[in-house]
Amino acid sequence: MALLYPTPDAAEDDFIDLAARCDPPAEVVPVHFPWPDGVGDLSALGTEQTYAAVRELGSDAHLERVIPALDGFDAAIFAVTSASFLHGEHGVGRQLRTLRRLTGRPTVSTTSAFQHAVRRLGLTRVALASVYHPSASAHFVRRLAEAGATTVGRVDADAPSDRELAGWTADRIEALVRSCRHDEAQAVVLPETALHTAAIADRLDEAAGRPVLTATQVSVWAAYDVLGQRPRATNAGVLFGRPAACG
């Protein structure tokens, strides 16, 4: 599987580790692609500048310039959640069609994977553990609604960059999940690909008191799913074989 990823050394290992633990195992190979010209350290940008850069990162025009054909891979994962969900209604599907044409491979995005997981699990009420600014989180809430899930609780951490998020400890990630517990939520959604979550899935579920869907988890699961495979793994969350508790 090819992992389309813009920032080197920002949690690619999380996807690699999870896929390697699955039965059947899969090899995930990072394929880095550049940010738009002029975009440097995201933490130095203001909120509107940051999300303008992220929108451009996921735009058709930019993808046409930087995404290669992916010969030799079974599938591809576009693992930049915000670069998909900020493009409005129908934007996720349009972007996927572009990516599939460019890569020549079955391709999923992390945002499309969250939507697919919500539908597969029959979720109608979720809590959102967001690392984004509230204005960006609102877009992801709408993408969840398009999949049939109402966001009944939400926390917005407003982290400055993916580089910083890659350094978050397990304790800090758990604290974010715990802070958005909500009695009405059937699951907690944690939509950030730079967080290291693959090794702490059971811990996060326990902290939330319900299943936690992480960006790593849904992305790897959806890549298997687009190939018609049903992977299983321990300490990997509800999508990898543990009974759901979504009532």
Side-chain angles (χ1 to χ4, degrees):
M1 298 175 182
L3 184 73
L4 296 169
Y5 213 76
T7 306
D9 301 320
E12 303 97 310
D13 55 326
D14 213 51
F15 296 83
I16 294 168
D17 292 347
L18 177 55
R21 286 197 285 116
C22 288
D23 180 16
E27 181 182 9
V28 169
V29 178
V31 176
H32 295 111
F33 65 99
W35 282 84
D37 292 343
V39 177
D41 183 2
L42 293 180
S43 64
L45 301 178
T47 298
E48 293 306 318
Q49 291 174 308
T50 297
Y51 291 111
V54 172
R55 281 192 181 91
E56 187 177 353
L57 178 72
S59 68
D60 281 355
H62 186 68
L63 297 177
E64 293 274 3
R65 288 192 293 269
V66 300
I67 299 298
L70 295 173
D71 297 332
F73 291 98
D74 295 323
I77 301 168
F78 184 72
V80 201
T81 321
S82 54
S84 293
F85 70 69
L86 288 169
H87 287 276
E89 188 178 7
H90 309 305
V92 177
R94 286 195 304 270
Q95 185 183 72
L96 274 184
R97 290 190 290 273
T98 297
L99 288 166
R100 289 168 179 169
R101 173 173 55 81
L102 294 172
T103 63
R105 302 289 96 188
T107 302
V108 300
S109 69
T110 303
T111 300
S112 73
F114 272 112
Q115 291 179 324
H116 186 29
V118 163
R119 295 183 181 109
R120 179 66 62 85
L121 295 172
L123 301 175
T124 58
R125 303 179 310 279
V126 300
L128 175 60
S130 173
V131 302
Y132 311 118
H133 185 275
S135 63
S137 301
H139 288 270
F140 190 72
V141 166
R142 289 194 282 273
R143 303 294 83 79
L144 292 172
E146 290 166 9
T150 299
T151 300
V152 295
R154 181 175 120 195
V155 173
D156 304 286
D158 195 14
S161 72
D162 48 1
R163 185 72 69 192
E164 178 188 298
L165 289 162
W168 276 28
T169 64
D171 286 347
R172 189 167 182 183
I173 297 169
E174 179 186 340
L176 176 64
V177 166
R178 191 180 298 277
S179 71
C180 74
R181 287 180 60 142
H182 193 286
D183 289 343
E184 295 181 14
Q186 298 162 299
V188 171
V189 174
L190 183 60
E192 173 51 51
T193 56
L195 294 174
H196 285 86
T197 59
I200 58 171
D202 287 354
R203 178 176 171 179
L204 296 180
D205 286 357
E206 183 177 356
R210 54 198 33 82
V212 177
L213 300 179
T214 71
T216 301
Q217 178 192 152
V218 300
S219 298
V220 173
W221 168 79
Y224 273 99
D225 192 72
V226 79
L227 296 172
Q229 299 182 27
R230 300 291 181 267
R232 300 183 71 83
T234 58
N235 188 23
V238 65
L239 294 169
F240 289 88
R242 185 176 52 72
C246 303

